[in-house]
Every structure is written in structure tokens, then in C-alpha cells.
Amino acid sequence: MMDYKQIFNAAPDVQASAPGRVNLLGEHTDYNDGFVLPTAIPQQTTVHIGYSPNDRHHFYSANLEEWVDVNPEETELKGFAKYVYGCIRVVETIGYSVPPVNIFVSSSVPIGSGLSSSAALEVATLRGLRSLLGLPFDDVKLAQLGQQAEIQYAGVSCGILDQMACSLADTEHMLFLDTRTLKRQILPFPTGAEIVVIDSGVARSLASSGYNQRRSECEAAAQQLGVRALRDVSDPQAVSQLPNLLRKRARHVITENNRVLQVLSGVSAEVFGQLMNASHASLRDDYEVSIPALDELVDIFQNMPDVFGARLTGAGFGGACVALVTAGKAKAVSKQVLTKYNQAGHKGHILVD
Ligand code: GLA
């Protein structure tokens, strides 16, 4: 693989990295002001940054072997460059000037599996710019800027889950986050358990249209319930008067928030696993963001010894499943599950074990 020096013919001034994330519980709750529970994964995205010798930004992605030159007036970019440039633009929007830079990107975070490769790229880029330019923002502000880059320059009206996870989580703990107040708590994994993540091999499709549609359904449900956001309702019975579709969407969000809050009180691996199973059923039946391949993969996990529970993770419509398994068994379980899943004609692969 190429490095910064081979591409730009000079040494970089700074280097920064950020991990991908997997969400353990609290799916489709963040844009409802609710609660989430992600952890970081070992795979990281790294940027090397140096000053550009001319008046343009130059970006290079080692994974994609793609080079992009950006004029100062550029407004629309494609692919990885829109995330990188989006970060530069949001930093400028809050009043800092960014001189022309060279940015070299390399990453081991899988793209399109729901493990936040885009947020990892945003957080790594912003960390790199922060250290290159001595910018004064903290890790929470940095996550918020990353979210703005995603919304304004990548066109996804996402919540704050991914960028907060990539900016603040580590691989040894779970990060409980209240997405309204941004209050957070670092929690240990359930005793005697570790995680496995397997990609279904089905690329996410309809992810952005389905995502935005769910988002507006939730807003409509909150409005009909007379609350600012679905986070303000904790009793699942409260949705009984809503029309069928909105009732299902709201019930998922309310029960999912309750599941995350239950973890805060400290639960065993067994109970945590049951909450994950319930989360999957809710995402499948009420929120309708699962697909048959994800259901099959989750089913194989759930029927395997040493598995406490499993669910789809990320936005859904394809992507990956996460499972909580007995400590020390991750490698054995992932191998067995993958074999069984691929024997059924799929092309899954292991992402974390
Ligand atoms: C995507 C979004 C997040 C969150 C999840 C679903 O990853 O970027 O903000 O909404 O989907 O939980």
C-alpha cells in the first residue's frame, strides 16, 4: 500500500486515527433524542495531513487508490472526498481558516457494513485538523462537527450516535449516551461476555430513503403524541391511539430506549442477551428495517451454544449482526455461525471476533 510520502513527495505534519463502532443496543433511537450503547471496534481509519504546496487541497485514499484535487470554491464532491472536505468546510463555518492541505487516508474499517466507516473518517480527519492547526474544540464538539459534515456534505440526516461513538468510545467498554443531553457513562461489558460481529454480505440498500422515511414517521408519531421527541414517552401503552404504522414505529423506539436504560441498572450477560434478541425482534417487526438475510444470521446465532443474544446492528436494510457470546468463545462461535450461514448460500464474513 502507498504511503503519504510516496503520494505527496514530502513528510506529513500530523497523523490521527479513529475507530469504527458497533452499536450493542439502542438502534434508531438517536434521532428521537433517545439512548444508545455503542462500543469501538479494533479497526481504525488513519489520516496523515500536511500543508499543500499550492492553493488546492489534495486528498488520497489508499484503499480506493483514488486521488482528488479540490479547488477552494468547490461545493460538491463524491465518494470519500465529500467526508474529508465536509470536515474542512464545517471547521471553516465555525470561524477557523483552514489552509490548503494534503490528506492521505487509509482504513481497516469495512465500508458499507454499518460499522461507521464514514464517522471514523470524519473523526480522524477532524482530529488531524485539530492537531495540525491547534484548534480548541473538545471531543464532544468534534463529534458534533463530524455529524454536521455528514448531514451537510454527505446528505444523510443521521443522529449523533456514530460520531460520538467514534470520538469517545474505546474497545474495552460500552459507552452509554443520552443523545439529548449528551450525558454519558462508560460501562464495563457484561461479566463473562465478549462480542462477535458478522457481515451478512448483503450491502445496505434503500438505507438512506428508508432511514429518512423512518425518521419522519417518528417525528409524526411524536407530534401526534404531543411530545417534543419519542424519548419523552416511556410507557409503550401510550401509543395505542396512534394509527397502525406510527404505533409500530413509536413502540420500537420506546421499548428500545427502555432496553438501554435497563442495562444502566447493571444486568447479567444472560439478560443483556435477551435484550438484544428483543431489540432484533422489534427492529424486524415494528421498525421493519431488517431483511431476510439478517434474520437468518441472527437466528443461527441465537440457536448456537455460548451465545447470549444477537441482533442486527446499524441502520439495517443489510449490513452486519452483533452477538454477545461467552468470553473466550468468540472465535469458535463466529466460525461455526459463519459456516452455517454461508452453507445456506450467503457470502458473509467475520468483522470482529
Ligand atoms: C445510522 C445513523 C445513526 C443511527 C443508526 C441507527 O448508523 O448514522 O445516527 O441513527 O443508523 O441506530
Side-chain angles (χ1 to χ4, degrees), residues 294-353:
L294 290 171
D295 294 340
E296 239 179 286
L297 183 52
V298 161
D299 194 60
I300 295 171
F301 265 123
Q302 290 174 350
N303 288 297
M304 198 58 82
D306 295 313
V307 174
F308 295 115
R311 56 183 287 273
L312 73 84
T313 186
F317 306 100
C321 291
V322 60
L324 193 73
V325 308
T326 306
K329 298 285 185 186
K331 293 231 175 329
V333 168
S334 64
K335 213 169 144 215
Q336 280 169 290
V337 169
L338 186 70
T339 304
K340 203 155 180 203
Y341 178 70
N342 283 352
Q343 269 167 1
H346 297 291
K347 290 195 164 49
H349 57 273
I350 296 164
L351 297 172
V352 177
D353 69 1

Side-chain angles (χ1 to χ4, degrees), residues 21 23 26-31 36 114 116 150 156 158-163 204 211 314-316:
R21 66 97 185 94
N23 195 20
E27 216 67 84
H28 290 281
T29 50
D30 62 348
Y31 51 83
V36 294
S116 288
E150 180 97 26
V156 182
C158 64
I160 192 77
L161 160 64
D162 304 342
Q163 290 79 12
R204 288 179 301 161
Y211 186 89

Side-chain angles (χ1 to χ4, degrees), residues 247-258:
R247 182 167 67 237
K248 285 164 58 170
R249 303 299 189 248
R251 188 167 53 201
H252 165 71
V253 175
I254 294 165
T255 57
E256 187 77 353
N257 276 329
N258 290 344

